[in-house]
Amino acid sequence: MEPSPAKARPPRRDLTRNKPRGTVLAERRDAHRRAAMAQARGRLAPVDASTLERDGLDAAQVRERQLAELSNVISHESSRSIWAIVRANVFTLFNTVLGACLAIVLIVGDPRDALFGFIVVANAAIGVVQEYRAKRTLDKLAVLHAPRSRVRRGGDEHDIAVGEVVQDDLLLLRTGEQVPADAVVVFAESLEIDESLLTGESDAVPKASGELALSGSAVVAGHGTARVHRVGAESYASALTAEARRFSLVNSEIRNSINRIIFYIAWALIPIMALVVNGQMIAQGGWSAALASGNWRIAVVSAVASIVAMIPEGLVLLTSISFGMAAVTLARRKVLVQELPAVEGLARVDMVCLDKTGTLTEGRMELAGTTVLRAVDGWEQVLAWMAGHPNANATAAALAATYATAPAREPLQQVDFTSARKFSSATFGPAPTAQDVPGGPAAGDWVLGAPEVIIPAHQDGVLAAAEAAARSGLRALVLAHRELRPVVPGQPPEVEAAPAGLQGVALLVFREKVRPDAAQTLQYFREQGVELKIISGDNPRTVAAVARDVGFVFDGEGYDARNLPGDMTAMADVLERESVLGRVSPEQKKSIVLALQSRNHVVAMTGDGVNDALALKHADIGIAMGSGAAATKAVSRLVLLDGQFSHLPSVVAEGRRVIANVERVANLFLTKTTYAIIISLVIGVLMWRYPFLPRQLSIVSSMTIGIPAFFLALLPNARRYQPGFLRRTLMFAIPSGTIVAACILAVYAFSRAFPNANASAEDMVAQGQTAATMTVLLVALWVLGTLARPFDKWRALLVAAMVAGLVLVMVVPFARTFFALDIPSGALLAATIAVTAAGCAAIELLYRFLKRRGAVSERR
């Protein structure tokens, strides 16, 4: 039965719901670009497939594709766009409320009461300028150190930027490189590609001619060529690879806490605003009387003052500036911050997993010695061939300086090295003497790899020699050989396990140069209470020897990760005991990170190879070396551009400065929000006239919060990270804000209960507002003084400048007139001084109490 027309098509779902607006717009742009690219591809001139797969595109064909916009350029940036920066700093919830208040004051009130509007504009402008400067710096570094691709054009090899790859380009794929665009494999020699970052599948995928290599995947073994099939927005992983580099606000305790605070304040504003407006209208004689007499204007301005006081408008701004300035500071030290919260994140880390090669050592190997175990013809030439192979890893390539004469003939088949396999092999067949150089390699299987992987147990002498080398901190490899076995044409070689029946031919020992800064950096982390795990694919004894060379203290000879249990809980138990691990596979590196996270550790992971990429992606903070593989740098959050491990302490210091200073700033802003909310509630219930004019609150906000907070956010601060940012902030801000509110209400209530008999009604109101302003200025400055401790030259100068500003405002006639300050006298002045002194004493007692509880710290 045919379905009815009404039920033939289900209702369309709104797939854009619950997505950020920027993400929706980017997806729409990419969809339009994909459609345009499909049309442009159909208009391309036909190309000869055999010529293209041999020589690549010629210059005219490249130009044709560039004009058709069939390049690999992706619209996503490494940081927020200029419009996103403006939108984030200008079009916020709080700025919308403050903008509406500004418009109301300009229409119905005194323009002098609109001073807060200019402060909001200045704050937004500072935020835009500072973040734009940070964006420019980071974008320049990102472009300078962006990954590149190797292509063949016109028969020649070219090293080009990933964005310059075009449709039908012939990619040259080598170990450690990231595939820049979806491509069809043309030629493959033992080519294996890791697609784990795309599919989550940890096993490398062998690729043969005609198969698809996805963008974002990484070559882990072999080499080959591939013809670009889809570029840019059309590629499978364009969104994934862009997301790894995009400005991100994830996993930040500071931002999460501030967002929660803003959420609660935003909801509280609605009922409090209604209460305040009603209270101010009643204070002017009731709604009817106020509307008839025109005093509703005074009520509206007073309501605006209460609303402005409750909004911590500069808190988000200063947090963004702190992150941005920290990123710029680190950029000058050759540390690229790919996600701004990583600055904070490394300061929160309590566990660092260090990949030995390329992190503790320079990653360059040199041959330290060779021991001939059994003379087999041509073994030196075999080593020369393996050293010169395009897929040679760093260890095999180090043989080239000693063994340079390669055999004239190519092997019948070969298996390339991978970190999971831990060996490479080549099978040479017999050859006529005329075609070979004297002493050519003997026919058979030649295998170069880890001794314990390729040497049978009964050859214990070879294994003992390798163990002795490993205990000395050397990396030992064995070249082994077996007689030629019949090779079935078309049958793939053994790749998962070494061939049986191998005999050791030569024991090769290599040394790695330890970084001169490694010992000092590890000592720094130990002094800061950060636990360290050294992990490597090398022999555990080799890893242990290097660990001792850099001053790492531990028991035992290193743990063989091949014995690690598969169960996550059991693995975490082992990791509680062991700190130096060898023979760690790429999948195990990820599992180690996850196991440590399961024990509530905040984990940082360093690495430089493709085999580290999966672990870096899952770590709380992934740190890549600048010389590392493109795939590794793409998923990391920090890149040490010059590869100097010694930069990490400066990253920790910047993170600590940001966390500690933002906590100080948050205490200031939330203290103000607390006392503003309490005053609004009490005034609204009692239906009193609001005790401040908007212009008076502007001077209070500027001198006790805005100006000092800006400088406090940028001053040095080396206080160690302590979890509980929001709890500590509220433990100080709520009691201190309550004390300030009590002082303001006490002085204001006194002015209303004991009016000056010789003053007019308006003068009494002005004196009461001035007394409240003086009280909040003095007590809030005491709050500033407690949060600025311990005093150094700059903090003392900052507090002194704010006190001097207060004196000037009270002394200079123009300032008193502008801010409508009528200095009280007699009993009201005495009450103001007494209440202010009591309030400052209460703040001091609160500070000392919280200091004993550990909720505040005086450590710089």
Side-chain angles (χ1 to χ4, degrees):
M1 183 177 178
E2 293 290 328
S4 64
K7 297 182 179 180
R9 177 180 296 179
R12 296 181 60 184
R13 296 174 57 198
D14 183 5
L15 299 180
T16 65
R17 183 175 297 174
N18 299 326
K19 288 187 178 181
R21 178 174 173 80
T23 302
V24 173
L25 294 176
E27 289 176 350
R28 290 175 180 171
R29 284 194 302 268
D30 287 346
H32 290 313
R33 186 155 190 248
R34 284 193 294 269
M37 292 171 75
Q39 295 177 359
R41 196 164 41 246
R43 294 192 294 267
L44 291 177
V47 295
D48 180 66
S50 60
T51 302
L52 187 146
E53 293 175 358
R54 183 185 68 249
D55 300 330
L57 298 172
D58 58 32
Q61 292 167 333
V62 171
R63 180 62 178 163
E64 179 187 14
R65 283 153 179 78
Q66 290 172 340
L67 292 175
E69 297 186 351
L70 292 174
S71 66
N72 203 40
V73 174
I74 299 174
S75 60
H76 304 302
E77 299 178 340
S78 62
S79 59
R80 293 199 284 188
S81 66
I82 296 176
W83 168 242
I85 291 173
V86 172
R87 187 173 65 245
N89 285 279
V90 176
F91 302 105
T92 66
L93 172 63
F94 286 166
N95 280 357
T96 301
V97 175
L98 292 172
C101 292
L102 175 62
I104 291 171
V105 170
L106 290 175
I107 293 172
V108 305
D110 190 326
R112 291 176 295 182
D113 285 326
L115 182 62
F116 70 89
F118 297 104
I119 296 174
V120 172
V121 172
N123 282 343
I126 292 171
V128 170
V129 171
Q130 291 287 357
E131 192 168 345
Y132 176 68
R133 289 178 60 189
K135 165 192 163 57
R136 283 205 315 172
T137 301
L138 297 180
D139 282 352
K140 287 178 181 177
L141 277 176
V143 170
L144 183 62
H145 297 272
R148 301 180 70 81
S149 296
R150 201 174 306 168
V151 299
R152 184 180 296 149
R153 290 177 176 175
D156 298 323
E157 293 187 8
H158 298 271
D159 191 37
I160 64 174
V162 168
E164 295 176 5
V165 173
V166 298
Q167 181 79 29
D168 297 319
D169 249 331
L170 189 65
L171 301 175
L172 305 179
L173 304 179
R174 298 289 184 268
T175 300
E177 295 179 353
Q178 192 174 33
V179 181
D182 294 353
V184 177
V185 176
V186 173
F187 163 76
E189 185 174 334
S190 301
L191 183 64
E192 294 183 16
I193 290 182
D194 179 4
E195 297 179 346
S196 58
L197 297 179
L198 303 175
T199 65
E201 175 57 50
S202 60
D203 295 332
V205 180
K207 295 291 182 180
S209 177
E211 294 185 332
L212 186 63
L214 298 175
S215 64
S217 58
V219 181
V220 294
H223 64 283
T225 60
R227 176 178 175 177
V228 173
H229 175 58
R230 290 189 293 262
V231 292
E234 283 192 312
S235 63
Y236 178 81
S238 63
L240 181 145
T241 53
E243 194 65 27
R245 299 170 175 83
R246 181 180 285 180
F247 183 95
S248 174
L249 301 178
V250 298
N251 204 24
S252 166
E253 182 186 11
I254 288 178
R255 288 195 181 274
N256 293 341
S257 299
I258 290 176
N259 287 339
R260 287 176 62 188
I261 291 169
I262 291 174
F263 175 80
Y264 293 135
I265 291 175
W267 277 105
L269 276 177
I270 299 173
I272 294 176
M273 286 168 57
L275 179 65
V276 169
V277 170
N278 180 69
Q280 295 307 295
M281 294 296 284
I282 299 299
Q284 296 299 325
W287 284 83
S288 299
L291 293 173
S293 64
N295 287 341
W296 63 271
R297 297 174 182 270
I298 299 174
V300 168
V301 171
S302 297
V304 165
S306 70
I307 295 169
V308 170
M310 288 186 287
I311 295 177
E313 69 278 0
L315 183 55
V316 176
L317 165 72
L318 287 177
T319 303
S320 298
I321 289 178
S322 297
F323 278 131
M325 294 300 292
V328 171
T329 300
L330 292 174
R332 296 193 184 105
R333 298 173 186 170
K334 302 298 183 183
V335 178
L336 176 61
V337 180
Q338 302 201 112
E339 298 188 29
L340 293 187
V343 176
E344 170 204 346
L346 191 57
R348 295 192 291 111
V349 163
D350 62 359
M351 179 73 69
V352 177
C353 295
L354 302 164
D355 179 56
K356 176 183 70 67
T357 305
T359 302
L360 297 182
T361 64
E362 293 186 352
R364 291 185 293 107
M365 305 295 299
E366 59 181 357
L367 184 64
T370 304
T371 302
V372 178
L373 304 173
R374 187 169 68 95
V376 179
D377 290 342
W379 64 271
E380 299 98 333
Q381 294 183 34
V382 173
L383 291 178
W385 181 88
M386 290 183 170
H389 192 273
N391 193 45
N393 61 9
T395 306
L399 295 167
T402 305
Y403 303 103
T405 305
R409 68 183 188 274
E410 289 295 313
L412 301 177
Q413 59 187 18
Q414 66 187 61
V415 174
D416 291 320
F417 175 87
T418 67
S419 56
R421 191 179 294 133
K422 301 189 187 308
F423 72 86
S424 60
S425 68
T427 301
F428 285 91
T433 304
Q435 296 182 9
D436 205 2
V437 297
D445 296 316
W446 292 87
V447 181
L448 178 66
E452 66 271 26
V453 173
I454 66 174
I455 296 297
H458 66 270
Q459 298 183 40
D460 50 2
V462 178
L463 297 175
E467 287 291 330
R471 283 195 295 271
S472 301
L474 301 175
R475 176 182 294 181
L477 295 181
V478 167
L479 177 67
H481 175 264
R482 75 173 182 181
E483 297 296 329
L484 184 65
R485 307 289 176 90
V487 176
V488 179
Q491 178 178 339
E494 300 177 61
V495 295
E496 298 304 326
L502 291 170
Q503 295 289 323
V505 174
L507 177 66
L508 310 161
V509 291
F510 302 81
R511 68 166 64 94
E512 288 183 279
K513 186 176 180 181
V514 175
R515 291 183 182 274
D517 56 359
Q520 183 179 357
T521 304
L522 294 187
Q523 179 64 26
Y524 170 83
F525 279 115
R526 285 195 296 270
E527 291 173 353
Q528 302 304 314
V530 177
E531 295 185 54
L532 301 171
K533 303 290 181 187
I534 299 178
I535 59 180
S536 174
D538 278 349
N539 184 290
R541 295 181 182 273
T542 304
V543 183
V546 172
R548 290 193 175 93
D549 285 345
V550 296
F552 195 73
V553 180
F554 63 99
D555 296 325
E557 295 296 329
Y559 184 85
D560 193 326
R562 290 174 297 184
N563 299 324
L564 270 178
D567 178 70
M568 196 66 67
T569 301
M571 181 183 293
D573 291 336
V574 172
L575 294 173
E576 293 289 337
R577 304 189 304 267
E578 304 292 340
S579 297
V580 177
L581 297 91
R583 297 302 181 209
V584 182
S585 69
E587 177 63 24
Q588 282 180 318
K589 289 183 179 181
K590 184 195 81 170
S591 298
I592 288 172
V593 169
L594 296 177
L596 292 172
Q597 289 172 333
S598 71
R599 295 294 171 91
N600 297 320
H601 288 293
V602 181
V603 181
M605 172 75 191
T606 68
D608 63 343
V610 174
N611 60 331
D612 301 320
L614 202 59
L616 263 64
K617 185 69 176 176
H618 286 82
D620 296 284
I621 300 294
I623 305 168
M625 298 295 164
S627 58
T632 306
K633 290 187 286 187
V635 301
S636 66
R637 296 189 181 180
L638 296 174
V639 180
L640 306 181
L641 298 175
D642 56 2
Q644 295 298 314
F645 185 48
S646 58
H647 290 319
L648 287 184
S650 64
V651 180
V652 173
E654 280 299 307
R656 287 180 172 176
R657 184 186 65 78
V658 168
I659 293 173
N661 286 343
V662 169
E663 186 170 325
R664 291 180 191 267
V665 168
N667 278 323
L668 285 175
F669 278 101
L670 296 181
T671 296
K672 172 202 166 190
T673 299
T674 300
Y675 70 68
I677 290 176
I678 293 174
I679 291 172
S680 296
L681 290 172
V682 174
I683 294 296
V685 171
L686 297 179
M687 299 179 186
W688 289 354
R689 183 168 173 178
Y690 199 71
F692 303 106
L693 293 174
R695 74 192 87 162
Q696 294 167 343
L697 284 174
S698 295
I699 193 65
V700 170
S701 296
S702 298
M703 296 184 61
T704 65
I705 301 171
I707 296 173
F710 181 82
F711 289 101
L712 283 177
L714 302 179
L715 287 176
N717 196 320
R719 192 192 76 186
R720 288 192 183 185
Y721 166 75
Q722 297 173 320
F725 168 86
L726 182 58
R727 178 183 59 82
R728 283 195 310 276
T729 300
L730 296 181
M731 281 181 67
F732 180 86
I734 293 177
S736 62
T738 303
I739 292 171
V740 176
C743 293
I744 295 169
L745 291 170
V747 169
Y748 193 53
F750 185 90
S751 71
R752 291 176 60 87
F754 303 99
N756 188 341
N758 298 323
S760 65
E762 286 302 316
D763 288 342
M764 286 190 294
V765 170
Q767 289 184 7
Q769 290 176 333
T770 302
T773 302
M774 292 172 59
T775 301
V776 70
L777 279 169
L778 290 169
V779 179
L781 281 175
W782 198 275
V783 173
L784 171 63
T786 59
L787 292 174
R789 297 176 192 175
F791 287 116
D792 58 10
K793 177 177 66 176
W794 297 111
R795 291 189 179 94
L797 182 61
L798 176 63
V799 175
M802 296 303 102
V803 173
L806 169 61
V807 173
L808 288 176
V809 168
M810 294 299 175
V811 171
V812 176
F814 171 77
R816 289 205 308 270
T817 302
F818 182 88
F819 291 107
L821 298 175
D822 186 0
I823 307 299
S825 59
L828 181 56
L829 179 59
T832 301
I833 295 173
V835 170
T836 299
C840 293
I843 293 293
E844 185 66 26
L845 290 173
L846 171 67
Y847 177 78
R848 293 177 183 273
F849 171 75
L850 293 177
K851 182 181 175 183
R852 287 196 301 270
R853 293 280 302 272
V856 295
S857 173
E858 282 196 357
R859 178 168 177 171
R860 282 203 292 264

